[in-house]
């Protein structure tokens, strides 16, 4: 707070939880104490992992004010996520969407005909696919806000234009994004880490490594990718290419080529 030059923060998140069991009674007591002292107004957590489970769990607690979670045109399609988002909205939890562009650990391939048609349709309506991906989140009534990384003025201007523009997505535009999500599902890690981690006996937090690859390839931020990767325990980094990922690949709902991607991560990020 000293560095921020403030005496309080409006919203305090515990960053990047992977399961609701991490929101222990100690956090509940701490949040109450900080609110009492006027240091924070609202309390919650952020999550990139097992988001639907974390949200569903938060809806059952009476001391979570807000959650920031990975949410985009891809993950919004699953019934689990839809139910979890509804449960939070019903409980009065403010939801902040992040990772809204739905980028994944694999570099985008050449655009398919379906994707070209989708881009053409968006262009005719006066927005880009990136702006459409923001709109589809903004048009979800349960989402209170959207957190978007804007490293340059071009992206800032595009986001502001999309936010101010009143044009709503048409039904077929929602559908084309849904279709695109299906066609490119093997390029995207949906963060359902409990599935693949269980399949590798807890040896590797696969979706965390996938996120590093996404920072490297889709965000074009090799330093952030390497730093995040370096934050994983050394033993995990050492065993990355020695683990048998065949069960995890079978279990992965996105059908990701996990073994190949883990090898690439070891080569690129070490
Ligand atoms: S690799 Fe597959 S199973 Fe693991 S978190 Fe990503 S999408 Fe889910």
């Amino acid at each position: 707070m000293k560095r921020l030059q403030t005496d309080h923060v409006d919203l305090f998140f515990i960053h990047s939880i992977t399961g609701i069991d991490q929101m222990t009674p100690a956090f509940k007591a701490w949040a109450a104490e900080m609110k009492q002292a006027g240091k924070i107004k609202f309390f919650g957590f952020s999550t990139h992992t097992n988001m639907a489970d974390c949200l569903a769990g938060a809806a059952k607690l009476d001391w979570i004010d807000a959650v920031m979670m990975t949410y985009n045109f891809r993950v919004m399609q699953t019934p689990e996520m839809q139910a979890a988002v509804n449960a939070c909205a019903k409980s009065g939890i403010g939801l902040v969407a992040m990772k809204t562009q739905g980028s994944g650990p694999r570099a985008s391939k050449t655009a398919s005909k379906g994707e070209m048609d989708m881009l053409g349709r968006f262009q005719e309506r006066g927005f880009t696919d990136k702006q459409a991906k923001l709109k589809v989140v903004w048009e979800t009534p349960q989402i209170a806000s959207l957190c978007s990384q804007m490293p340059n003025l071009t992206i800032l201007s595009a986001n502001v234009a999309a936010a101010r523009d009143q044009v709503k997505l048409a039904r077929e535009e929602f559908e084309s994004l849904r279709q695109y999500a299906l066609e490119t599902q093997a390029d995207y890690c949906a963060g359902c880490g409990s599935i693949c981690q269980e399949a590798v006996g807890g040896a590797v937090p696969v979706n965390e490594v996938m996120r590093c690859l996404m920072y490297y390839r889709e965000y074009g931020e090799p330093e952030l990718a390497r730093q995040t990767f370096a934050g994983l325990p050394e033993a995990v980094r050492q065993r990355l290419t020695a683990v048998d990922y065949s069960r995890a690949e079978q279990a992965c709902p996105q059908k990701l080529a996990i073994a190949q991607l883990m090898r690439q991560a070891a080569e690129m990020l070490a």
Side-chain angles (χ1 to χ4, degrees):
M1 282 199 250
K2 201 169 165 190
R3 273 171 52 208
L4 291 170
Q5 298 179 16
T6 183
D7 60 359
H8 75 279
V9 291
D10 288 331
L11 175 53
F12 187 101
F13 284 136
I14 299 295
H15 185 49
S16 204
I17 72 163
T18 59
I20 198 65
D21 54 335
Q22 290 167 357
M23 298 309 289
T24 59
F27 280 127
K28 180 180 179 179
W30 182 87
E33 193 185 321
M34 290 301 122
K35 284 182 183 178
Q36 181 76 26
K39 302 278 187 196
I40 65 174
K41 283 189 183 166
F42 299 105
F43 176 84
F45 62 83
S46 69
T47 176
H48 311 95
T49 307
N50 305 320
M51 295 86 71
D53 287 347
C54 289
L55 288 172
K60 293 185 188 137
L61 302 176
D62 63 358
W63 50 281
I64 303 295
D65 302 307
V67 176
M68 180 161 76
M69 73 290 172
T70 300
Y71 188 83
N72 52 50
F73 67 99
R74 297 178 187 275
V75 301
M76 68 165 56
Q77 311 289 350
T78 69
E80 296 79 20
M81 182 58 102
Q82 287 164 4
V85 160
N86 284 336
C88 282
K90 211 168 154 194
S91 301
I93 294 176
L95 295 178
V96 182
M98 64 170 165
K99 307 283 187 285
T100 52
Q101 291 298 308
S103 307
R106 290 204 332 183
S108 306
K109 290 181 291 213
T110 316
S112 65
K113 180 172 179 319
E115 187 182 350
M116 293 304 286
D117 290 348
M118 176 182 81
L119 296 177
R121 202 173 304 133
F122 290 150
Q123 218 163 25
E124 272 171 29
R125 297 256 285 149
F127 40 80
T128 65
D129 61 319
K130 291 182 171 53
Q131 290 172 318
K133 289 170 187 171
L134 296 178
K135 280 172 178 285
V136 80
V137 174
W138 277 321
E139 289 181 26
T140 307
Q142 297 90 336
I143 303 297
S145 188
L146 182 159
C147 179
S148 177
Q149 187 182 19
M150 295 180 279
N152 58 52
L153 286 174
T154 308
I155 296 177
L156 174 68
S157 306
N159 280 12
V160 170
R164 298 185 65 170
D165 161 19
Q166 297 300 308
V167 179
K168 300 267 184 233
L169 290 183
R171 179 185 286 271
E172 51 278 17
E173 286 157 351
F174 275 98
E175 180 52 31
S176 59
L177 277 170
R178 194 185 69 80
Q179 198 54 40
Y180 172 65
L182 265 179
E183 279 171 17
T184 56
Q185 68 167 9
D187 295 339
Y188 181 71
C189 172
C192 37
S194 57
I195 297 176
C196 46
Q197 282 180 46
E198 194 193 312
V200 295
V204 172
V206 174
N207 72 295
E208 294 296 326
V209 181
M210 296 290 187
R211 189 153 58 90
C212 299
L213 280 173
M214 176 187 75
Y215 290 150
Y216 191 99
R217 288 176 160 157
E218 290 283 329
Y219 285 30
E221 295 211 32
E223 265 325 295
L224 174 64
R226 287 199 186 98
Q227 267 173 25
T228 312
F229 187 72
L232 297 173
E234 193 182 342
V236 166
R237 286 180 274 133
Q238 294 294 336
R239 71 170 82 100
L240 207 55
T241 54
V243 171
D244 177 4
Y245 294 101
S246 49
R247 276 191 60 224
E249 288 187 349
Q250 274 168 21
C252 174
Q254 299 290 111
K255 302 293 166 222
L256 282 172
I258 298 174
Q260 185 191 54
L261 288 160
M262 293 301 107
R263 270 200 309 278
Q264 291 171 356
E267 282 164 21
M268 291 160 64
L269 305 172

